Amino acid sequence: EDELAECGGSAEAYQVFLRRDPRAGEIWQAELQRMRTERRTCMDEAKTLGDELVKNKETMRKVQTALEALKARLLEAETAASVDAAAGPRAEMLRGMLGTEEPRLAAMLEGKREKYQQDVTRLKELRRELGHFEHGEAKLKASVQAEFDHWYQIVEQRYPLEIAAARAADAADAMSDAGDADSCEAG
């Protein structure tokens, strides 16, 4: 009976429902909390992965820029060597440096590209997982809401006078609260 007095408003009735139905109060809430925790973990991983993608892309850009700069210096040195024989040793040194550095930088760049592709693939998987978690949460909430609606309908049919009295009490409380607010504003 005390609980029926709380069933005047939908929000209050929902709280009674959560206390009375073990699935709603414990099982569904635990499942919802588990989904939210997994979704948060997934979001944290996606954020970390996104940060790594940005760093990886920046590193790839720097490696490409360094390789291009080395090639440009070699071209300048070779052009200078074609005009002045004294610039030949510098061109030879840069050619040797490019010969050793280019394969190393190319391998590093390829490794970074592969890592970047793996991270992009994982990020797409995480996006899909997040969608599944959000769908699961929405489905669970809809299920709980449907159970509540069914429960509330049965309560209204079984105890129509008590529910009507609870609604009237809620309406009177709301009117009283509105009157108190008006008198505070006037004062």
Side-chain angles (χ1 to χ4, degrees):
E1 266 185 46
D2 291 338
E3 287 180 340
L4 286 175
E6 294 178 37
C7 289
S10 180
E12 295 85 5
Y14 188 74
Q15 292 305 314
V16 171
F17 169 72
L18 290 178
R19 286 194 308 264
R20 302 274 297 166
D21 191 318
R23 294 173 304 165
E26 298 168 10
I27 298 169
W28 288 333
Q29 293 298 324
E31 182 67 12
L32 185 61
Q33 186 61 37
R34 182 192 64 77
M35 284 183 198
R36 286 180 178 162
T37 300
E38 288 178 11
R39 187 182 70 184
R40 223 174 287 120
T41 301
C42 195
M43 289 172 68
D44 290 345
E45 182 182 349
K47 182 178 179 348
T48 301
L49 202 53
D51 292 344
E52 287 177 17
L53 278 170
V54 169
K55 288 178 187 175
N56 199 2
K57 195 169 188 174
E58 180 64 21
T59 301
M60 286 172 31
R61 189 191 61 75
K62 286 179 181 179
V63 169
Q64 286 174 328
T65 302
L67 190 55
E68 290 168 7
L70 190 57
K71 287 179 180 180
R73 282 190 285 178
L74 175 60
L75 185 60
E76 289 172 10
E78 286 177 340
T79 303
S82 68
V83 177
D84 180 13
R90 180 171 182 265
E92 226 15 76
M93 179 202 62
L94 285 172
R95 200 174 293 114
M97 186 185 294
L98 186 62
T100 58
E101 288 298 310
E102 186 174 25
R104 185 182 71 77
L105 291 175
M108 180 188 297
L109 193 57
E110 186 56 33
K112 294 290 182 185
R113 277 191 191 124
E114 288 175 8
K115 173 74 169 128
Y116 184 83
Q117 289 302 318
Q118 289 171 354
D119 289 350
V120 166
T121 300
R122 178 63 183 143
L123 203 53
K124 287 178 182 176
E125 291 170 2
L126 288 172
R127 184 182 306 150
R128 220 174 3 263
E129 286 178 33
L130 282 169
H132 288 303
F133 287 131
E134 289 168 1
H135 176 72
E137 285 180 40
K139 191 175 174 182
L140 183 61
K141 286 178 183 178
S143 175
V144 172
Q145 185 64 44
E147 286 289 326
F148 165 71
D149 292 343
H150 180 71
W151 173 84
Y152 197 48
Q153 184 179 20
I154 291 171
V155 168
E156 285 178 318
Q157 289 172 357
R158 190 173 293 163
Y159 306 102
L161 297 176
E162 290 85 348
I163 296 298
R167 285 185 179 149
D170 277 357
D173 287 346
M175 294 290 279
S176 173
D177 289 346
D180 290 346
D182 288 344
S183 66
C184 287
E185 288 176 9

